[in-house]
Amino acid sequence: MATRVFSPAARTTGGVVDHASPVLGSSGLFTVLLGAALPLIDFFIVNVALPTIDHDLAAGPALLELVVAGYGLAYAVLLVLGGRLGDLFGRRRLFLAGMTAFGLTSLACGLAPDAWTLVGARVAQGAAAALMLPQVLATIHASTTGARRAKALSLYGATAGLAMVAGQILGGVLVAADVAGTGWRAIFLVNVPVALVGLLLAVRTVPETRSDRPAPVDVPGTLLLTLTLFSLLAPLTEGRASGWPLWTWVSLAVFPFAAAAFWRVELRADRRGRTPLVPPSLLALVSLRRGLALVLPFSIGFGGFMFVIAVALQQGLGMGAVVSGLALVPMAVAFFGASLAGPRLVRRWGSRIVTAGGLLQALGVALLALTVWRSWPDLSAWSLLPGMAVAGFGQGLQLPVLFRVVLSEVPAERAGVGSGVMVTTQQSALALGVATLGSLFLSLAASAGVRDALVVTLLVQLAAVAVTVVLSLRLPRRVG
């Protein structure tokens, strides 16, 4: 049965008909959350499949890095633009276009005959994800209010966290199952029927929303943001595998100048009354600014951890894809439980729940580091369970609340821009975490061994968690 997407009656004020606002029903919420899960699952699903892809396509370290980084880069640099296009042309329309493109590019990934074709398809898949994902939060923000919006944002946060963990679990199961002899290709081909279902549901259940005063695309801002993110993320993700050639150092040298130019262009546009890609005036919102400051270290640590744990368990201990994926199940279950409890706890304790979650995550990461130090090389999924569960519970208390905090003061007409800024920050930080913590781990593993490399990486992540705990004390106490 189709969900009603408009309230049943229009209001009349002063003789002028005020048409009913779009309302996102339960089926529509499920549909957009499905659209939110797919891009995040696919960012992490390849981690456990990399050894199989390398064996099948003779990819080599540099191309394997590009399989991960190509998706992440395209995804990160186009997210804000995707949000702006949704404001301009309609979020439902862009959601449908992104879902269609995601299904087609997933099919291209699954059928790729060689490593370079796979890299190209992954870049296109990342671009498709960037069209789809910003519409999710923008639709929620524009078509829900009050307690319904708070619940929807909490479910979005829970979905995002679970998708990142479930991606590696699902990847391990699919690779090991070798469905119809497809091997690693199944991790991409599975998206095709899911995207078809998502399209059918979206046509019937997702309301159309758009900004009342849509702004044209900020071309200079888009180009400079692309240059800024690319000049930082590309050399960090490819540098180690490529032997740090000259272009990586030139790119890193360009980054601060590109970032400064981007900020000046956006500030000038904002002062002249235009609508820049990332309005500096949006950062004047205390909740958004301070929330993003936490999303950054949280996502850097999370992205790096998920990549490193997959490599350490498979290549360091020789675990199979399924076992290494199942080692993350306690984290996923605990995250889900904390996400369900979060809304009730927030009503009583406000943003202090984020602080409590950070402390629990720190305890979990410390337990994992101690377990690795003491039990290696006899490490098992069972021995990792306590640390995984405690860390996952702490993460589940943080992420859904952070999403609510960031968007709590963003006006509905700027929902696409606000959502794009938040998911760009998150995605860029995830990619940065894979690049920095991943490179640290792989460099140390070559010289000091996998155990010591993993312990050091976990301690670096612990430092990032400590930063989030300190910053959480500056969040507005009340969560809208």
Side-chain angles (χ1 to χ4, degrees):
M1 180 178 178
T3 301
R4 296 188 69 172
V5 297
F6 292 94
S7 52
R11 298 182 297 275
T12 304
T13 306
V16 178
V17 176
D18 177 17
H19 293 285
S21 300
V23 176
L24 185 67
S26 299
S27 299
L29 179 60
F30 171 81
T31 304
V32 295
L33 290 180
L34 177 65
L38 282 174
L40 290 168
I41 286 173
D42 267 65
F43 183 81
F44 291 96
I45 200 169
V46 298
N47 286 346
V48 294
L50 290 176
T52 314
I53 294 173
D54 187 22
H55 179 269
D56 192 19
L57 300 182
L63 281 182
L64 285 179
E65 293 272 2
L66 277 177
V67 169
V68 178
Y71 177 89
L73 279 169
Y75 188 20
V77 301
L78 295 174
L79 276 167
V80 179
L81 178 61
R84 173 62 60 83
L85 292 175
D87 287 349
L88 188 62
F89 296 110
R91 292 152 190 151
R92 177 177 177 269
R93 181 178 298 176
L94 264 292
F95 182 85
L96 290 170
M99 181 73 80
T100 301
F102 193 83
L104 291 174
T105 52
S106 295
L107 179 63
C109 289
L111 299 179
D114 55 62
W116 276 110
T117 304
L118 177 58
V119 169
R122 283 284 282 173
V123 171
Q125 190 187 34
L131 283 182
M132 178 169 58
L133 186 62
Q135 318 316 325
V136 175
L137 277 172
T139 298
I140 289 173
H141 202 65
S143 58
T144 60
T145 57
R148 189 173 184 84
R149 178 184 293 175
K151 180 181 179 182
L153 288 175
S154 293
L155 287 172
Y156 175 88
T159 300
L162 279 174
M164 290 187 282
V165 179
Q168 287 188 201
I169 299 172
L170 179 63
V173 171
L174 288 174
V175 170
D178 193 20
V179 181
T182 54
W184 59 268
R185 298 177 187 275
I187 67 174
F188 300 116
L189 295 176
V190 71
N191 291 332
V192 178
V194 176
L196 286 173
V197 171
L199 283 170
L200 292 174
L201 288 173
V203 167
R204 294 173 60 84
T205 66
V206 177
E208 181 63 283
T209 64
R210 70 183 72 201
S211 175
D212 292 334
R213 296 182 296 276
V217 173
D218 174 15
V219 176
T222 300
L223 294 176
L224 283 170
L225 179 62
T226 300
L227 177 62
T228 300
L229 292 176
F230 186 84
S231 63
L232 175 65
L233 295 176
L236 289 179
T237 51
E238 278 296 296
R240 186 201 58 84
S242 303
W244 297 104
L246 179 61
W247 73 264
T248 60
W249 298 108
V250 172
S251 183
L252 287 172
V254 166
F255 166 70
F257 298 100
F262 170 71
W263 183 253
R264 284 199 299 270
V265 165
E266 299 298 274
L267 196 60
R268 187 183 305 119
D270 214 10
R271 287 172 175 169
R272 292 179 177 177
R274 302 171 188 164
T275 306
L277 189 69
V278 180
S281 58
L282 202 63
L283 298 179
L285 300 175
V286 174
S287 58
L288 183 138
R289 186 175 66 250
R290 294 182 180 178
L292 288 180
L294 265 81
V295 170
L296 194 61
F298 179 94
S299 299
I300 287 174
F302 194 95
F305 171 81
M306 297 299 288
F307 175 79
V308 166
I309 200 69
V311 174
L313 295 183
Q314 287 192 87
Q315 298 184 8
L317 291 177
M319 287 186 181
V322 172
V323 177
S324 65
L326 291 178
L328 297 170
V329 168
M331 178 177 283
V333 172
F335 188 103
F336 183 67
S339 299
L340 293 180
R344 293 191 299 274
L345 295 173
V346 166
R347 283 195 293 271
R348 181 171 182 181
W349 302 105
S351 64
R352 292 298 172 261
I353 292 301
V354 178
T355 306
L359 292 171
L360 283 172
Q361 185 188 1
L363 176 60
V365 173
L367 283 173
L368 287 172
L370 182 62
T371 302
V372 171
W373 179 260
R374 295 179 60 181
S375 302
W376 195 277
D378 300 318
L379 203 62
S380 67
W382 284 109
S383 61
L384 292 172
L385 190 152
M388 289 285 190
V390 174
F393 195 85
Q395 291 163 345
L397 290 179
Q398 294 175 84
L399 194 60
V401 181
L402 282 177
F403 287 155
R404 286 177 58 182
V405 169
V406 169
L407 295 176
S408 60
E409 296 178 353
V410 177
E413 65 271 13
R414 304 180 91 178
V417 177
S419 302
V421 169
M422 191 186 75
V423 292
T424 297
T425 302
Q426 181 197 21
Q427 183 59 38
S428 300
L430 288 172
L432 189 58
V434 172
T436 53
L437 295 183
S439 294
L440 173 66
F441 169 78
L442 293 171
S443 298
L444 290 174
S447 57
V450 175
R451 184 196 72 165
D452 291 354
L454 181 55
V455 170
V456 170
T457 306
L458 288 171
L459 292 178
V460 172
Q461 187 194 0
L462 188 59
V465 176
V467 171
T468 66
V469 171
V470 173
L471 291 176
S472 70
L473 298 174
R474 300 184 69 245
L475 290 175
R477 183 66 180 268
R478 184 177 176 275
V479 179

